[in-house]
C-alpha cells in the first residue's frame, strides 16, 4: 500500500545514477532531493552516505520533511537488512539473484549491469594482455621506481594489512 508521500514522490521522480558510486535524485513533488554515495570500504563492505537538500518549492514543508525522513529511514533499514542477508549467502555460496521491482529498482538493475559490463571488459583486457591490469597504478618506469619505494615505506602489500 503506498502512502501519500510515495504518490507525491513518484510523480516528480527523477533518479540519476552516477557510475560508479553515486545517485542523485531530485524529487520536486516532495520539495526535497537527495544525493547518495556508495563507497567501498573493503572487498565485502561499503559505506553509504546520504545528503538531503530542501528545494525552493511550496512542497518543502516541515511536515513533508518529517514524512520524507521517515520513508528514507524505513527504506534504508530494509535495504541494509537485505544487503547483509545477501552478503551472508554470497559468502556461503548459496546466493541466487531474485527479481527486482520493475519500477523502484530499475536504477539498481541498470547500475548492476554497468558494473558487470565494466568488470567483463576489464577481465577481457587482462586475458588479452595476459596479465593483471591495475587502472590506478601508473605503468611508466619512473613511477614504478617511486611506487616501489613508497610501498616499502608505507608497508603496502605486507601480510595482515587490510583495507
Amino acid at each position: 500500500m503506498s502512502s501519500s508521500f510515495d504518490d507525491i514522490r513518484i510523480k516528480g521522480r527523477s533518479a540519476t545514477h552516477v557510475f560508479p558510486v553515486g545517485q542523485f535524485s531530485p524529487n520536486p513533488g516532495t520539495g526535497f532531493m537527495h544525493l547518495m554515495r556508495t563507497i567501498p570500504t573493503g572487498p565485502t563492505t561499503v559505506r553509504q552516505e546520504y545528503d538531503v537538500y530542501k528545494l525552493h518549492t511550496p512542497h518543502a514543508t516541515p511536515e513533508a520533511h518529517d514524512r520524507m525522513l521517515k520513508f528514507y529511514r524505513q527504506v534504508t533499514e530494509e535495504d541494509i537488512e537485505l544487503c547483509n542477508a545477501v552478503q551472508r549467502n554470497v559468502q556461503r555460496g548459496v546466493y541466487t539473484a531474485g527479481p527486482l521491482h520493475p519500477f523502484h529498482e530499475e536504477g539498481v538493475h541498470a547500475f548492476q549491469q554497468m558494473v558487470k559490463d565494466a568488470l567483463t571488459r576489464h577481465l577481457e583486457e587482462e586475458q588479452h594482455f595476459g596479465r593483471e591490469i591495475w587502472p590506478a597504478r601508473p605503468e611508466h618506469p619512473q613511477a614504478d621506481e617511486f611506487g616501489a619505494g613508497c610501498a616499502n615505506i608505507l608497508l603496502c602489500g605486507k601480510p595482515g594489512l587490510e583495507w
Side-chain angles (χ1 to χ4, degrees), residues 134-147:
W134 295 78
R137 187 180 293 167
E139 293 193 12
H140 53 83
Q142 290 174 330
D144 287 345
E145 188 176 302
F146 173 78

Side-chain angles (χ1 to χ4, degrees), residues 61-80:
T61 65
E63 295 80 20
H65 183 260
D66 289 343
R67 285 191 308 272
M68 186 249 337
L69 284 179
K70 182 179 177 184
F71 173 80
Y72 281 132
R73 279 189 186 115
Q74 177 184 343
V75 169
T76 300
E77 287 171 8
E78 290 170 359
D79 285 351
I80 288 170

Side-chain angles (χ1 to χ4, degrees), residues 4-63:
S4 61
F5 178 75
D6 282 336
D7 295 337
I8 292 169
R9 181 181 67 87
I10 289 169
K11 287 177 187 171
R13 184 173 180 271
S14 175
T16 302
H17 291 266
V18 183
F19 185 77
V21 296
Q23 178 196 12
F24 173 73
S25 186
N27 296 303
T30 68
F32 300 92
M33 67 179 199
H34 76 273
L35 176 65
M36 179 178 80
R37 290 172 303 283
T38 304
I39 302 163
T41 56
T44 60
T45 58
V46 297
R47 182 177 73 234
Q48 293 284 146
E49 295 179 352
Y50 298 87
D51 295 321
V52 178
Y53 300 93
K54 180 179 176 183
L55 303 174
H56 294 288
T57 71
H59 300 290
T61 65
E63 295 80 20

